[in-house]
Amino acid sequence: MATVLMCRRFPRLSRVTAFSTTAKRKAKRGSSKSKEKRDKPGAANTGTESGATIQLLKPQDYRVLYNPAAYAKGRAGSQQHVGRDGSQALGDTFTGPGTTRAPQTFPTAPSRALPPVRNALPKPKSNTPLGQTVLATLYKEEAEKAKWEVHDSKEDPRLFQKGRPEYRSLSCDGAEPAQPLPAEEGDSILQSVAGCEGSPGALTDYFRKLSRLPAERRAALASDPRFGALCHRAVTAVGLFSTPDLIQILKACVPLAVPASHPLLDACEAEFCRRAWDMGLEQLLLVADCWRCLERSVPSYLGILFSYANLHWKDLTLPQFVQLLYIVGEGRRSPADLAQKVESTILKHLDAFTLEELGAICLGLFKSLSGMSERVLRRIADRVSLHMEDMSTYALVNVLKMLRYTRMDHVPLMRELGKVIPARIPTTNIQGIMHITLTYSSLHFFDEGVLAAVATSLPSKVSYCRSKDAAKFLWSFGCLDYEPPNEEEFYSSLIKQLHAKLHEFSKFPEHLLTALLGLAFVKRFPEELIDFALREEFVQKTRGSKYELNKDLFTLGRSVEIECPTYQGSRLPPQLCQEFTEMVSSFAEQEIYVRPEIVEATSLLESMLGGPEYVKNHMILPHTRSSDLEVRLATDGHPIPFNFKDPVAAEKLKDVGVNLTDDLISQLIKGRAHSQSPTEVGSEAGIPRQERGDAAATPCLGGALTAGAKSQAEPKAGLWQPRELRLALQVSNRNHFCYGSKRLLGLHCLKRRQLRLLGYVVVEIPFWEWFPLLKRTRSEKLSYLHYKVFCPTLLTRAG
């Protein structure tokens, strides 16, 4: 392939630092040598922090909630399984098949991510910002490079068939013939076709011999009228062929590359459907494999095959069972009445399957959206974790897809994967790498070794990325809040690929939002791409999409307003933001505010501070889809009433407060069993608060919170009092963090960062401290919350 040198202006990126120096930020992200080192997935964390602690290894009711909005619904045909590829929503509530509802924030829209912004460059309003010449060059280059990837993935799904000789009679071998026929003999055959009618047996022999011609000669047959005449005679005589002869003709069509819509294949399909109930299971599976190799959709034939297999289930041999599940996956559909039989058969033959066959089984069930019970999948994962080094990467990735699909954690497999997979990354094709990375983010497992290996390998392979692949990489790294050592090269290469694939986003808008949100999680905002995503034309495409993308648009639009004050590009219309806010607020009132751990904290804070006027359970940032307990303190440490639903009451209670006497403090801390120093409130204590005067006291940038002020009825809603300290208490749960660790996921890092930008002090009430306390005495809970609210460090700041 000729080398093409291209010169293209790369869009300027702006990096938002959000009140933290680069050094602080890097330290916070935690290299393995840092004091604030993040826990590895699966590692127990039994620190001696204040409050009760719990074992973090494999939490008992831990559930990864998996429902990115853009991938909530299945697609038809070959797109059906895309929904399962979607990275996991970071939201806190999702009720899916086989999952119990767990405490979670409002479901985050699809897996998404973004890069940086600053002064926006002039932006063309056309739908194709990239020059046509550059696009044409990229198309050529990518088409050439993609050949290797496509070829590689076409071969891999059939690797399991090499493990047993029985598959030779069940599958169509697409390899070159061992003894090719001389080209001259092909001309002789075609000449003889023109001279005589030929019996069905002779016609079968002609097809068999022509399929053995050299590849270049076979390619020329499509335009040869003599070959067309041969096909026409076969169509005319299709009912006269014996079943073995008809199968031979269909097999010959594979190396002859007969188009899927060819009349000969139409006639063959109709005839096989007519004869199916008189054929054997071996023949039925072979014909189904031929259709797959010819890339022809045959739903009627597959329906008959599945009904036949259901009636003869006890007669299935192990290879026939695996081949059947392979066909099920390639057909993207599975009869519901086979599900229970499939699982019992898997358990029956579990120890006899090869590792490649286990991979084929998982892929077939994944592609057909059939799923698998946790009991069966855990048995498969147990075996794979013990023999992973002997398994091909392709088969291993198929098992990971099922783990992701069923949202099942399997710590031994993930640990072993972390040892085996980094060395394989350089030789794995881009889609395989994407699925590996997506598995880690979907299951919320953080493994720096795997992610660093992916980041190192990706820039040299980025031209193979589809828009979907680039989006999932950005989402996965953003979801896990990880920026690799080569972060600039890693992100710039993916952002460049997003520009190259910009033409695809009109058809797949969900992928652009996925990418931009993932980048936003790690404080990167590419202005030109954001401007494109927030234009009215693109927003209309998302609104008309079969996926629910509103929440993604809302998160992206508000994040840009808060973190990119100099951004001059397109923005979401205020009425849309109001609509999205009302949608999120309605959900929160039914699902989030009523959770026991939040209700208990709210009630105790009201009791401690003097009434419901002193604490508000709401979403300060509706676009982050999780609740906050807001408390306001004066410079002398007194709580300030602000949560008024009645304007008259607001005036009456304006100056009411609670005097913190020695007796009250003594009562609050009485009964505390142990003197425990609280966990640090994070780095917020060291972040300077923005001073605002009365004239410009709105705690938002670009109106970031005005749309969410619906429930605030107090006078001067949202205004800061002089030297007022606003606390945003975060009652977190397990699904805000990476599995088995205290590492916050990207969405929740974004939320805390934006709260600080708006002048709030973020106070953590982490689940590993608060959940155990829910079972303790009232005085212990009050004592804990008192220290969180009246932390000496915070009071020093307020003074």
Side-chain angles (χ1 to χ4, degrees):
M1 181 181 69
T3 302
V4 179
L5 181 61
M6 292 182 297
C7 239
R8 188 174 67 157
R9 183 185 69 176
F10 190 69
R12 179 171 40 161
L13 304 178
S14 51
R15 194 66 186 273
V16 181
T17 54
F19 291 114
S20 63
T21 65
T22 302
K24 282 182 183 175
R25 192 164 154 268
K26 288 193 181 278
K28 223 165 145 185
R29 289 193 183 283
S31 69
S32 53
K33 298 179 184 177
S34 162
K35 274 186 185 179
E36 297 183 344
K37 175 181 173 184
R38 309 276 194 177
D39 297 344
K40 290 278 186 180
N45 192 322
T46 54
T48 57
E49 296 167 323
S50 71
T53 59
I54 65 172
Q55 187 80 0
L56 287 178
L57 175 59
K58 195 170 174 52
Q60 202 168 18
D61 59 344
Y62 184 87
R63 273 282 187 187
V64 174
L65 302 180
Y66 180 88
N67 182 35
Y71 304 95
K73 304 171 188 175
R75 290 180 183 241
S78 62
Q79 297 289 334
Q80 249 184 352
H81 64 297
V82 170
R84 301 302 175 177
D85 292 348
S87 66
Q88 178 116 332
L90 295 180
D92 286 338
T93 51
F94 169 63
T95 305
T99 57
T100 55
R101 177 166 296 179
Q104 263 316 34
T105 49
F106 194 83
T108 303
S111 347
R112 339 295 186 170
L114 308 147
V117 180
R118 206 142 248 156
N119 297 325
L121 297 172
K123 298 169 183 66
K125 291 294 180 185
S126 89
N127 287 330
T128 54
L130 299 181
Q132 295 298 325
T133 306
V134 175
L135 283 176
T137 309
L138 286 171
Y139 292 155
K140 281 186 188 176
E141 197 170 312
E142 288 169 10
E144 288 298 319
K145 290 181 178 179
K147 286 180 183 176
W148 178 81
E149 292 283 334
V150 170
H151 172 77
D152 190 55
S153 57
K154 288 285 185 188
E155 291 300 315
D156 280 336
R158 307 172 68 80
L159 185 62
F160 72 93
Q161 295 173 349
K162 313 254 187 255
R164 298 180 192 270
E166 293 91 333
Y167 287 112
R168 292 174 191 165
S169 61
L170 302 174
S171 60
C172 179
D173 187 1
E176 288 295 313
Q179 296 180 339
L181 200 70
E184 304 77 35
E185 192 167 341
D187 289 328
S188 174
I189 292 172
L190 292 172
Q191 193 63 38
S192 63
V193 170
C196 66
E197 288 296 324
S199 65
L203 293 176
T204 303
D205 194 49
Y206 291 158
F207 275 100
R208 187 187 298 113
K209 288 181 177 179
L210 290 174
S211 69
R212 291 170 48 205
L213 288 172
E216 62 277 3
R217 185 68 186 91
R218 294 200 306 268
L221 289 177
S223 58
D224 194 319
R226 295 173 297 176
F227 181 70
L230 175 63
C231 292
H232 177 72
R233 289 183 182 175
V235 170
T236 304
V238 70
L240 302 176
F241 290 104
S242 67
T243 298
D245 283 348
L246 194 59
I247 292 175
Q248 287 301 316
I249 290 176
L250 188 64
K251 285 183 68 176
C253 288
V254 175
L256 290 171
V258 175
S261 58
H262 197 283
L264 175 59
L265 299 187
D266 293 340
C268 286
E269 180 185 354
E271 188 63 23
F272 278 122
C273 286
R274 189 180 67 79
R275 300 186 189 192
W277 290 102
D278 297 322
M279 295 164 61
L281 188 56
E282 187 174 278
Q283 291 177 319
L284 290 169
L285 289 170
L286 174 57
V287 170
D289 198 60
C290 290
W291 292 131
R292 185 266 172 274
C293 292
L294 289 164
E295 298 183 355
R296 180 181 171 96
S297 176
V298 287
S300 297
Y301 179 84
L302 291 182
I304 297 171
L305 168 62
F306 298 152
S307 297
Y308 188 103
N310 195 23
L311 288 175
H312 298 82
W313 194 263
K314 293 182 179 179
D315 300 328
L316 281 175
T317 64
L318 185 151
Q320 288 174 344
F321 171 74
V322 178
Q323 182 69 13
L324 176 65
L325 289 191
Y326 168 71
I327 296 300
V328 163
E330 296 307 307
R332 301 298 197 277
R333 58 181 291 252
S334 174
D337 55 355
L338 289 186
Q340 190 171 354
K341 293 180 178 180
V342 166
E343 293 210 346
S344 62
T345 305
I346 290 174
L347 292 175
K348 175 183 174 182
H349 296 295
L350 185 61
D351 294 331
F353 291 126
T354 66
L355 294 171
E356 301 306 310
E357 287 171 335
L358 287 176
I361 289 169
C362 287
L363 181 62
L365 296 176
F366 174 81
K367 281 186 172 183
S368 62
L369 302 180
S370 304
M372 188 184 293
S373 70
E374 183 172 327
R375 178 175 69 105
V376 175
L377 184 55
R378 196 165 290 282
R379 290 281 304 276
I380 291 176
D382 287 341
R383 185 168 169 214
V384 168
S385 63
L386 296 175
H387 305 284
M388 192 177 293
E389 291 186 354
D390 302 323
M391 196 172 193
S392 73
T393 303
Y394 185 84
L396 180 56
V397 167
N398 293 338
V399 175
L400 297 182
K401 289 178 182 178
M402 279 306 297
L403 286 177
R404 196 173 80 228
Y405 181 90
T406 57
R407 300 173 292 279
M408 190 191 85
D409 60 273
H410 193 281
V411 176
L413 185 146
M414 298 304 290
R415 283 179 176 166
E416 189 63 24
L417 186 66
K419 299 174 186 176
V420 170
I421 210 64
R424 296 191 187 186
I425 293 294
T427 56
T428 302
N429 68 21
I430 202 70
Q431 290 185 30
I433 299 174
M434 181 272 286
H435 282 294
I436 292 167
T437 310
L438 189 56
T439 298
Y440 276 92
S441 66
S442 297
L443 298 180
H444 297 173
F445 266 82
F446 177 77
D447 189 312
E448 189 169 6
V450 173
L451 296 177
V454 169
T456 300
S457 178
L458 192 62
S460 64
K461 298 185 172 199
V462 76
S463 60
Y464 295 134
C465 284
R466 303 164 298 173
S467 58
K468 173 182 174 179
D469 299 322
K472 296 302 174 60
F473 280 121
L474 290 170
W475 167 263
S476 296
F477 275 68
C479 172
L480 297 172
D481 189 38
Y482 177 68
E483 293 191 79
N486 64 331
E487 59 179 287
E488 293 307 325
E489 180 190 22
F490 174 78
Y491 283 112
S492 64
S493 67
L494 283 170
I495 294 169
K496 180 179 178 182
Q497 187 67 0
L498 292 180
H499 279 266
K501 298 292 184 182
L502 203 61
H503 58 284
E504 295 183 12
F505 295 131
S506 293
K507 186 176 180 182
F508 304 110
E510 65 273 14
H511 296 332
L512 181 58
L513 293 181
T514 296
L516 293 179
L517 281 182
L519 286 165
F521 293 162
V522 291
K523 297 196 283 189
R524 292 174 180 267
F525 299 85
E527 292 184 345
E528 291 185 359
L529 292 173
I530 292 171
D531 176 60
F532 182 86
L534 297 181
R535 288 180 192 171
E536 184 179 353
E537 317 89 86
F538 188 84
V539 170
Q540 288 305 315
K541 282 188 170 58
T542 65
R543 301 275 280 172
S545 170
K546 62 180 70 175
Y547 303 116
E548 171 53 63
L549 303 178
N550 293 339
K551 297 186 291 294
D552 297 342
L553 278 171
F554 189 33
T555 301
L556 175 61
R558 285 311 197 198
S559 294
V560 170
E561 289 181 0
I562 294 172
E563 300 204 48
C564 309
T566 60
Y567 170 72
Q568 299 297 316
S570 304
R571 295 180 185 272
L572 290 178
Q575 63 271 21
L576 264 188
C577 293
Q578 180 65 34
E579 177 187 330
F580 297 160
T581 299
E582 291 173 358
M583 174 185 67
V584 172
S585 299
S586 174
F587 175 88
E589 288 171 2
Q590 300 175 36
E591 301 290 341
I592 299 179
Y593 301 152
V594 297
R595 291 176 187 154
E597 68 274 14
I598 295 176
V599 170
E600 179 78 353
T602 305
S603 174
L604 289 168
L605 285 170
E606 290 174 353
S607 173
M608 182 177 79
L609 299 175
E613 300 83 16
Y614 294 89
V615 58
K616 186 171 185 178
N617 178 11
H618 68 136
M619 288 186 290
I620 298 173
L621 302 177
H623 64 277
T624 60
R625 313 171 193 48
S626 57
S627 69
D628 311 272
L629 299 180
E630 183 176 354
V631 172
R632 302 181 187 179
L633 301 178
T635 55
D636 59 359
H638 285 135
I640 301 173
F642 68 97
N643 184 23
F644 307 119
K645 294 183 172 57
D646 180 1
V648 176
E651 290 301 318
K652 289 181 179 179
L653 296 173
K654 183 176 179 182
D655 298 321
V656 175
V658 176
N659 292 323
L660 295 178
T661 64
D662 290 341
D663 288 342
L664 177 57
I665 294 176
S666 176
Q667 289 176 33
L668 288 172
I669 64 175
K670 185 179 180 181
R672 187 164 184 134
H674 304 285
S675 178
Q676 299 164 323
S677 63
T679 42
E680 290 189 47
V681 185
S683 59
E684 63 272 5
I687 299 173
R689 176 164 50 96
Q690 292 181 337
E691 299 294 337
R692 293 174 171 83
D694 290 338
T698 305
C700 60
L701 300 175
L705 294 181
T706 54
K710 175 172 78 83
S711 62
Q712 293 180 336
E714 75 267 28
K716 300 181 182 178
L719 296 183
W720 295 95
Q721 299 298 324
R723 306 293 295 169
E724 177 181 275
L725 190 66
R726 292 195 176 190
L727 308 183
L729 282 73
Q730 308 297 301
V731 182
S732 63
N733 62 61
R734 290 180 180 86
N735 281 302
H736 292 179
F737 299 85
C738 291
Y739 184 93
S741 78
K742 297 178 181 179
R743 182 187 185 93
L744 272 173
L745 294 169
L747 175 66
H748 304 289
C749 289
L750 173 142
K751 175 185 175 179
R752 285 151 177 73
R753 184 172 74 235
Q754 292 179 3
L755 285 170
R756 291 173 186 132
L757 281 170
L758 296 178
Y760 285 88
V761 174
V762 177
V763 179
E764 289 288 351
I765 302 180
F767 74 91
W768 56 85
E769 294 176 357
W770 184 237
F771 281 27
L773 276 172
L774 293 176
K775 300 177 182 178
R776 308 292 282 273
T777 64
R778 177 179 173 83
S779 62
E780 286 178 291
K781 289 180 278 193
L782 283 170
S783 178
Y784 173 84
L785 291 174
H786 178 270
Y787 197 95
K788 285 291 184 179
V789 173
F790 299 105
C791 175
T793 307
L794 300 182
L795 295 179
T796 300
R797 280 190 57 200

